Amino acid sequence: MANYNRRDFAKLVVLGGIGYTVFACGEDAKKEKSDVKDEVPKMPELLPKNVQLYQKADAEYQELAVRFNKRFQQSPTYIAQCFTTQGVADAVKFARFKDLKVVVKSGGHSFEGFSSTNDGLVVDVSAMKTMEWTSDHSLTVGAGCILKELYDEMLPKQRILPSGSCATVGIAGLALGGGYGFFSRKYGLTCDSLQEITIVDGNGNILHESGNSAILKACKGGGNGNFGIVTKMKFRTYQAPKFFQAFRCKSYKLDTKRAKELLQTWFRYTEKLPKTAFSAFVLNGKTLTILITSYSDDDKEVLQMYNALKAKSDKATIGSKRPLAKALKTFYGVQHPIYFKNACAGLYKDFAEIEGCIDDVISKVISSRGLIYQVNTLGGNINSTAAEKRSVYPHRSYPYLSELQSYWDKPSQEASRLAAFQEVQEYFYQHGIRAHYRNYPDINFKDFQTAYYGKYLPELKKIKQQLDSENRIQHPQSI
Ligand SMILES: Cc1cc2nc3c(=O)[nH]c(=O)nc-3n(C[C@H](O)[C@H](O)[C@H](O)COP(=O)(O)OP(=O)(O)OC[C@H]3O[C@@H](n4cnc5c(N)ncnc54)[C@H](O)[C@@H]3O)c2cc1C
């Protein structure tokens, strides 16, 4: 979650029409074309209204090659800028014809550069930005929409989707790996609101999936660049709250003992938070920001937590109850590419799980320039049995998600930043922390597939075999 105090983290990112009928009614899954793959791949017809192919010499290529993480500056052989689902299907068929691997890009915010490549074809769906409402307040979006575009569409209609806070993150990459944010403890993960998808498989077939479809289920937590390219997503939306309020407690020049005490207190009080509240513990070097947010008048526990932490902090502020659209903008973060390394630092059940290594973790964070350790609250309705059955997100019983972050200005700073980062990851690993969030990948995770997908890995391997037996669609941590 991109949570940050604007001043301290100023340079950082921390944190239509009615009756749309593209999806097959009354069917769980329907293929638009035969799923029999051409044994000898044929060159597809590439119509400019569907797809444009670019190579290095093209000016458009240079623009489309940019990713949010400047650490990755890859040069794919081709970039296929797709405008329609047919264009995506044709681009995949072209990749088969040329025997190139396919990498998928929507918002371009992958922590580890998984939406580009040096030797294949990038299917870029970022221009697919259609948005269509149905009369039941569901919203169907093209896979190229980014979060601020969604909020701009939904909030004037007093609707929300539980999703992330950073403006330029793509809804596709976020929802296909789970997706969480300020509203998730009440409304679940972003993927829990996903009702229907259009997806192109590794042979270029177009599929529409809804209801109890196993492919739809696999896309709820396991869909990032693994076995298909999602081009459209239909989401349920919810009545937006009337206001949004942020509480902050800050502490400076912390030593390990005091930071640990504050973390313990934070864990104790977050257990009692209502589902309408969210909190993040953000230790940036020796400075700690604790953020609590709420959008309900029932804020007894929020105030209890705020007061308990205020008593132990150097400074505390209660923000005013602001209109949602205005309040969310303060969490939009940096919107241009930057150098960074972010990764999951584990999902936990409680403080006891990290107690044995937390002194080492905090000492390292406090003594390392630019290293941030953040713990976010999940829990609430994320931990729903009904949602569990319909998705492959395996970590619902973990109410805490932690992450490490580091940001820098020049490539020469990278090596030392990564070394400190890896040292902290190693403390957690040695202590038995093994569960990780798919959307916060780390190229160094051992046994990453189990860490991301847990008991759902065999199910996902089956879907991979079904949709992409040639392993056309791939990235360094794909299935
Ligand atoms: C600044 C920042 C803030 C963030 N905040 C949050 C947050 O609040 N909550 C949260 O849950 N996560 C958050 N994230 C993590 C975010 O969810 C992931 O980075 C997500 O994968 C980004 O999606 P994207 O489309 O922007 O990225 P991309 O780089 O385009 O794609 C990411 C991955 O998804 C795959 N993919 C993309 N599009 C498709 C598609 N159409 N079909 C199939 N696979 C696809 C790609 O192949 C790649 O593996 C944040 C990330 C950043 C950098």
Side-chain angles (χ1 to χ4, degrees), residues 315-356:
K315 191 179 159 193
T317 51
I318 301 185
S320 56
K321 293 183 175 175
R322 306 177 75 192
L324 188 56
K326 233 177 167 176
L328 288 186
K329 283 201 169 85
T330 62
F331 295 93
Y332 270 6
V334 171
Q335 298 183 28
H336 56 79
I338 48 176
Y339 291 104
F340 71 97
K341 165 96 183 175
N342 284 9
C344 185
L347 287 120
Y348 330 128
K349 289 219 161 84
D350 50 31
F351 181 75
E353 278 198 48
I354 52 168
E355 194 160 11

Side-chain angles (χ1 to χ4, degrees), residues 1-2 13-15 67-68 103-111 113-116 125 143 146-147 163-166 168-181 190 199 223-226 228-231 334 340 342 401 407 437-441 475:
M1 171 91 169
V13 179
V14 198
L15 253 122
R67 295 291 176 272
F68 186 68
V103 167
V104 197
K105 188 254 177 178
S106 293
H109 275 57
S110 168
F111 284 176
F114 293 164
S115 50
S116 196
V125 298
I146 56 172
L147 296 186
S163 188
S165 43
C166 185
T168 46
V169 168
I171 184 64
L174 179 130
L176 295 172
Y180 80 97
T190 313
I199 183 168
N224 302 76
N226 279 333
I229 301 157
V230 171
T231 59
V334 171
F340 71 97
N342 284 9
L401 165 65
Y407 304 87
Y437 178 32
R438 168 60 188 87
N439 277 351
Y440 289 176
H475 58 69

Side-chain angles (χ1 to χ4, degrees), residues 38-336:
D38 299 325
E39 288 311 328
V40 181
K42 295 189 197 89
M43 174 70 187
E45 192 181 2
L46 301 173
L47 298 176
K49 66 172 184 182
N50 293 326
V51 56
Q52 287 275 8
L53 270 191
Y54 295 115
Q55 288 187 273
K56 275 168 213 162
D58 300 319
E60 292 89 344
Y61 177 103
Q62 302 305 332
E63 267 175 47
L64 292 169
V66 173
R67 295 291 176 272
F68 186 68
N69 195 342
K70 278 166 72 174
R71 201 153 57 86
F72 301 100
Q73 303 193 358
Q74 292 135 298
S75 297
T77 310
Y78 293 96
I79 300 179
Q81 186 181 30
C82 301
F83 306 106
T84 62
T85 300
Q86 187 58 51
V88 171
D90 293 338
V92 172
K93 285 178 183 164
F94 176 78
R96 270 198 91 214
F97 178 71
K98 290 271 184 188
D99 196 21
L100 293 167
K101 76 174 179 192
V102 168
V103 167
V104 197
K105 188 254 177 178
S106 293
H109 275 57
S110 168
F111 284 176
E112 292 286 24
F114 293 164
S115 50
S116 196
T117 171
N118 280 318
D119 52 4
L121 178 144
V122 169
V123 169
D124 187 318
V125 298
S126 60
M128 298 178 68
K129 291 187 183 288
T130 52
M131 293 198 217
E132 308 255 1
W133 290 92
T134 30
S135 52
D136 64 352
H137 300 295
S138 294
L139 179 62
T140 301
V141 299
C145 291
I146 56 172
L147 296 186
K148 74 172 170 188
E149 292 163 348
L150 276 185
Y151 293 135
D152 285 349
E153 175 68 24
M154 289 185 294
L155 295 178
K157 296 181 170 63
Q158 278 77 54
R159 307 298 297 177
I160 51 149
L161 174 69
S163 188
S165 43
C166 185
T168 46
V169 168
I171 184 64
L174 179 130
L176 295 172
Y180 80 97
F182 295 127
F183 307 103
S184 294
R185 284 166 49 77
K186 183 158 169 68
Y187 298 110
L189 296 172
T190 313
C191 69
D192 296 335
S193 297
L194 189 55
Q195 299 175 309
E196 300 176 4
I197 51 165
T198 300
I199 183 168
V200 174
D201 72 13
N203 300 313
N205 298 301
I206 299 169
L207 295 86
H208 304 296
E209 304 291 322
S210 60
N212 293 324
S213 148
I215 295 171
L216 176 61
K217 181 184 176 196
C219 283
K220 295 181 177 188
N224 302 76
N226 279 333
F227 42 72
I229 301 157
V230 171
T231 59
K232 278 183 179 160
M233 316 173 91
K234 181 178 178 183
F235 290 102
R236 181 179 169 195
T237 68
Y238 308 83
Q239 180 67 45
K242 298 226 165 359
F243 70 88
F244 191 85
Q245 193 172 19
F247 304 71
R248 286 185 176 88
C249 295
K250 300 211 61 162
S251 302
Y252 307 98
K253 297 184 181 162
L254 288 172
D255 58 19
T256 302
K257 187 166 173 280
R258 203 173 147 216
K260 183 180 171 183
E261 268 170 28
L262 280 154
L263 181 60
Q264 256 175 313
T265 310
W266 181 84
F267 267 96
R268 197 159 59 245
Y269 280 90
T270 50
E271 274 173 25
K272 298 175 212 129
L273 278 181
K275 289 173 183 166
T276 43
F278 164 88
S279 187
F281 176 99
V282 189
L283 183 64
N284 180 1
K286 291 183 172 61
T287 302
L288 172 68
T289 304
I290 290 175
L291 171 72
I292 315 167
T293 67
S294 169
Y295 48 93
S296 164
D297 284 319
D298 178 16
D299 58 2
K300 195 174 112 221
E301 286 91 354
V302 169
L303 282 170
Q304 267 171 8
M305 175 168 168
Y306 170 77
N307 287 324
L309 285 161
K310 182 182 172 182
K312 293 175 186 280
S313 303
D314 297 324
K315 191 179 159 193
T317 51
I318 301 185
S320 56
K321 293 183 175 175
R322 306 177 75 192
L324 188 56
K326 233 177 167 176
L328 288 186
K329 283 201 169 85
T330 62
F331 295 93
Y332 270 6
V334 171
Q335 298 183 28
H336 56 79

